[in-house]
Amino acid sequence: MRPTLLAITLTALLAGCSDGQAPAASQATAPAASDAAADAIFAALSKEALDTWMRLSPVSATQIGDHRYDDQLDDLSAEGRQRRIDANKALLAKLDALDASRLSRANQVDAAILHNQLQADLWTAEVLQDWAWDPQIYGGLAGSAIYGLMAREFAPLPDRIRAATARMEKLPALFAQARANLDPARVPKIHAETVAKQNAGILSIVETFITPHLGELPAADAARTRAAIDGLQQAVAGQQAWLDKTLVPNAKGDFRIGTDKYDQKLKFALSSSLSRAEIKQRAEAEMQRVRGQMYGIARTVLAGKAGAPPLPEQPTEAQRQVAIEAALELAYADHPARDKVVDAAKASLQAATGFVREKKLVTLPDAPVDVILMPEFQRGVAVAYCDSPGPLDKGLKTFYAISPIPDDWSQAQADSFLREYNGRMIHLLSIHEGIPGHYLEGGHSAKYPSVLRGVLRSGLFAEGWAVYTERMMQEQGYLGGDPLFQLVQLKFYLRTIANALLDQGVHVDGWSREQAMRLMTHDAFQQESEAAGKWVRAQLTSAQLPTYFVGAQEHFDLRKAMQDKLGDRFDLKAYHDQVLSYGAPPVRYVRELMLDEPIR
């Protein structure tokens, strides 16, 4: 997944452009007859949207690879927010005036994506109003403002430090905007506490990427940067005092966004035909199916072992639970040392890459990927993420980031973490975040000629693809068909299912921590530390956790539809390459393009 805090700053602010080109030649569906004039109007409108949004959101522009505004910072004051709203409304009016049926099929998809994003941006600003209650927006933006400039070598180091210096000089104003905008009565305590823990992380970015290189700068530049660092240190200290003494003690908001807001946010986030009720029904059915499959594997791996629990053909629920837990213990015994998790991730990424290449499952990208420790300012929400370069930054590294075990964790906490992230689970994590998951998918999507789809890369497509590849790799015999790997893969899939149930359980059904923890630790077999972290994440986010399950279901359904259509002519590698050739729009549009259905 992409880092959650980065996603917060990106999704509400971005639009893009399309050059009107049709899908790549490998795609079987030819575009329908279209009006070249309408396509030209849409291309111009998309270009206008891109220029407008990049100017209004310089930090997101840097992430995307548009470096015209690298020395600028987003304005989240009331005036700045109104400028975004006015721009969105003007763009939406122009888009609504265009007859989408006259566009090429490729541009019909882009127009639908752009329309959804513009509506989501307006709804977020005017109805959800997260700027008034979510301090993660400001903390994430502050960290991303510097990290996005320094993490990748898109320009000479002195140029990037000069840009970072200009942003550091503006960050005190961003902190002031946070203090002015955030209403403690609306801020949930979990949000305030999380940001209070992350706030100092921005200084670690400066210490890691900027301070060691001050001697390489001209004297005048170095002096300005030192002054900016001093000013930032004072601003961070002041913000920390406000967080600790004002925001955290007075935070009284409800982290649950409620049914109406949840349903609307889910609709924007998923672009799926599945409703909340349908998602719940399908997830509950999958939960039971997968647990039954896991019991079958447990009977195989435990058969004849001393001390094995009863393994009847028709077990009670209690017998099923005990057997699966006993089988999983065999996998938990094989885990890396406390300080070797990143090394294990590197090794598993290499193994997965070799398997994909050997089996010829999908075309591999040629862009580099680094396994790194997760930056401090992004920790506390997810264990790992894949951070791809922006669609306009070509040939730069992708980061597969792993959160280290905190130094202050007890040995019991670390052991719980390592049981969850055992050796086989780390293989799955590298499949999901790396190859053939997010890293590979991101490398393919960056090649699609529509910048719109690169900028508005669908989280549903990306997360669904990553989950799909976990099952696909197991089906293809990864790790020699090891039954314990299949068992752990199914457990990882149970996490995906639980995510969907947890999200609406928390934000709509009012679940308590105890209800959430039972779902995760009992039904989905998660370790206490993993489930506790997910409970925090479910409070901090909404409508993102279901993207894994819904996206995976749509990818599974799409492959079956293509297998039914092609029969003996179905080729897995060709299928994967075709799916990835469309630039990661919501899966429903990939299906409509591949099956030659109307674009809805």
Side-chain angles (χ1 to χ4, degrees):
M1 63 172 286
R2 296 279 297 175
T4 303
L5 296 183
L6 284 179
I8 289 170
T9 67
L10 287 171
T11 54
L13 302 174
L14 298 181
C17 71
S18 169
D19 60 7
Q21 296 187 44
S26 64
Q27 300 171 170
T29 302
S34 61
D35 185 330
D39 284 334
I41 292 171
F42 179 71
L45 176 58
S46 298
K47 179 64 165 59
E48 178 187 352
L50 176 66
D51 289 340
T52 301
W53 266 272
M54 297 307 97
R55 174 173 49 81
L56 292 175
S57 183
V59 174
S60 295
T62 299
Q63 297 288 336
I64 290 164
D66 182 344
H67 297 292
R68 293 176 292 172
Y69 309 105
D70 282 351
D71 60 348
Q72 301 298 311
L73 196 63
D74 298 35
D75 179 5
L76 300 187
S77 67
E79 295 79 10
R81 297 197 309 272
Q82 190 60 49
R83 280 193 290 272
R84 287 189 180 91
I85 290 172
D86 292 343
N88 278 334
K89 288 182 176 179
L91 290 165
L92 187 59
K94 291 181 180 180
L95 184 60
D96 285 340
L98 183 62
D99 183 358
S101 67
R102 296 168 55 200
L103 299 174
S104 68
R105 284 176 63 80
N107 277 338
Q108 286 179 28
V109 171
D110 284 2
I113 294 171
L114 180 56
H115 194 274
N116 182 75
Q117 187 64 44
L118 290 169
Q119 288 188 315
D121 290 350
L122 287 168
W123 178 83
T124 300
E126 297 181 317
V127 179
L128 188 63
Q129 295 184 348
D130 52 357
W131 50 268
W133 57 263
D134 190 355
Q136 295 178 103
I137 292 173
Y138 305 91
L141 187 65
S144 301
I146 308 302
Y147 183 75
L149 290 170
M150 303 309 303
R152 292 187 176 87
E153 298 178 0
F154 60 82
L157 181 63
D159 293 345
R160 290 183 286 127
I161 292 180
R162 275 191 288 271
T165 298
R167 283 186 174 173
M168 284 191 287
E169 292 169 343
K170 297 177 177 66
L171 282 173
L174 176 65
F175 292 144
Q177 289 168 3
R179 295 191 293 271
N181 292 345
L182 291 169
D183 177 1
R186 298 177 64 185
V187 175
K189 186 170 285 291
I190 184 66
H191 290 64
E193 291 173 340
T194 298
V195 172
K197 293 175 183 177
Q198 295 171 332
N199 180 58
I202 188 173
L203 297 178
S204 71
I205 302 172
V206 175
E207 293 165 1
T208 300
F209 291 104
I210 297 177
T211 303
H213 301 287
L214 289 176
E216 303 170 31
L217 302 178
D221 286 352
R224 181 185 173 190
T225 299
R226 287 191 181 93
I229 293 173
D230 290 343
L232 179 60
Q233 289 172 337
Q234 295 176 28
V236 169
Q239 187 75 350
Q240 191 70 53
W242 177 77
L243 290 167
D244 292 339
K245 297 177 181 179
T246 300
L247 190 64
V248 171
N250 296 292
K252 307 296 183 184
D254 188 351
F255 60 82
R256 309 176 199 276
I257 67 172
T259 302
D260 292 342
K261 289 179 180 177
Y262 182 85
D263 284 346
Q264 186 59 70
K265 189 175 182 181
L266 190 70
K267 179 181 177 182
F268 287 134
L270 299 184
S271 292
S272 170
S273 59
L274 291 176
S275 67
R276 171 167 51 87
E278 290 168 331
I279 292 169
K280 182 178 181 180
Q281 182 181 31
R282 190 160 179 174
E284 288 175 341
E286 275 289 84
M287 179 73 75
Q288 292 305 310
R289 183 190 69 79
V290 172
R291 283 171 57 87
Q293 191 176 355
M294 292 176 75
Y295 178 71
I297 297 171
R299 294 187 73 205
T300 298
V301 299
L302 293 173
K305 289 193 177 294
L311 302 168
E313 187 172 338
Q314 299 295 330
T316 65
E317 281 301 313
Q319 289 172 325
R320 187 196 310 270
Q321 187 75 19
V322 170
I324 295 173
E325 289 175 351
L328 285 169
E329 287 293 334
L330 301 178
Y332 297 159
D334 177 18
H335 62 72
R338 178 173 182 153
D339 61 346
K340 298 296 183 183
V341 174
V342 173
D343 290 340
K346 290 179 179 178
S348 61
L349 181 62
Q350 184 176 12
T353 303
F355 183 82
V356 169
R357 181 177 289 113
E358 176 191 354
K359 294 289 188 177
K360 299 179 180 179
L361 298 177
V362 62
T363 299
L364 289 166
D366 51 11
V369 59
D370 277 359
V371 182
I372 65 169
L373 285 176
M374 188 180 296
E376 185 177 347
F377 83 101
Q378 292 171 341
R379 297 175 192 171
V381 178
V383 170
Y385 66 73
C386 178
D387 181 10
S388 301
L392 301 181
D393 274 331
K394 303 299 183 182
L396 299 182
K397 289 181 178 179
T398 291
F399 298 124
Y400 167 21
I402 304 287
S403 181
I405 295 177
D407 293 336
D408 61 355
W409 272 19
S410 67
Q411 190 58 47
Q413 287 175 303
D415 289 344
S416 177
F417 176 90
L418 292 169
R419 283 163 60 82
E420 183 73 20
Y421 290 95
N422 57 78
R424 292 174 177 85
M425 183 66 85
I426 289 178
H427 274 282
L428 284 161
L429 200 63
S430 292
I431 289 169
H432 181 104
E433 303 291 352
I435 289 179
H438 285 316
Y439 158 62
L440 183 144
E441 176 268 317
H444 279 268
S445 67
K447 296 178 181 178
Y448 189 78
S450 166
V451 180
L452 171 64
R453 294 194 205 175
V455 171
L456 296 181
R457 177 181 170 197
S458 166
L460 185 84
F461 182 100
E463 298 297 0
W465 169 263
V467 174
Y468 162 82
T469 63
E470 297 160 18
R471 181 189 294 186
M472 184 273 294
M473 290 284 278
Q474 184 277 318
E475 291 172 342
Q476 294 300 310
Y478 186 64
L479 297 188
D482 173 21
L484 285 179
F485 176 72
Q486 184 181 5
L487 186 69
V488 174
Q489 181 265 315
L490 289 170
K491 174 186 166 174
F492 204 21
Y493 180 49
L494 278 184
R495 184 189 302 186
T496 293
I497 299 169
N499 282 347
L501 294 171
L502 174 67
D503 198 57
Q504 60 179 271
V506 167
H507 289 283
V508 175
D509 299 330
W511 279 10
S512 66
R513 185 182 191 277
E514 289 69 28
Q515 286 174 289
M517 293 296 286
R518 177 172 174 78
L519 169 75
M520 292 183 282
T521 60
H522 179 273
D523 298 355
F525 303 100
Q526 294 175 30
Q527 293 297 301
E528 182 78 17
S529 62
E530 169 64 24
K534 188 61 63 67
W535 165 247
V536 171
R537 181 173 168 185
Q539 296 171 83
L540 291 172
T541 66
S542 55
Q544 192 276 329
L545 286 173
T547 59
Y548 302 86
F549 178 73
V550 177
Q553 300 314 298
E554 294 193 351
H555 274 290
F556 294 143
D557 292 348
L558 174 58
R559 189 176 81 171
K560 184 179 185 305
M562 288 301 293
Q563 287 173 319
D564 291 344
K565 177 180 179 180
L566 297 176
D568 293 341
R569 294 181 293 118
F570 180 84
D571 177 83
L572 191 60
K573 180 177 184 295
Y575 169 77
H576 289 155
D577 285 350
Q578 184 177 354
V579 167
L580 294 173
S581 73
Y582 293 93
V587 184
R588 60 182 285 193
Y589 297 123
V590 177
R591 182 187 183 101
E592 288 163 3
L593 290 167
M594 292 181 72
L595 297 178
D596 197 20
E597 297 174 347
I599 305 299
R600 295 166 292 170

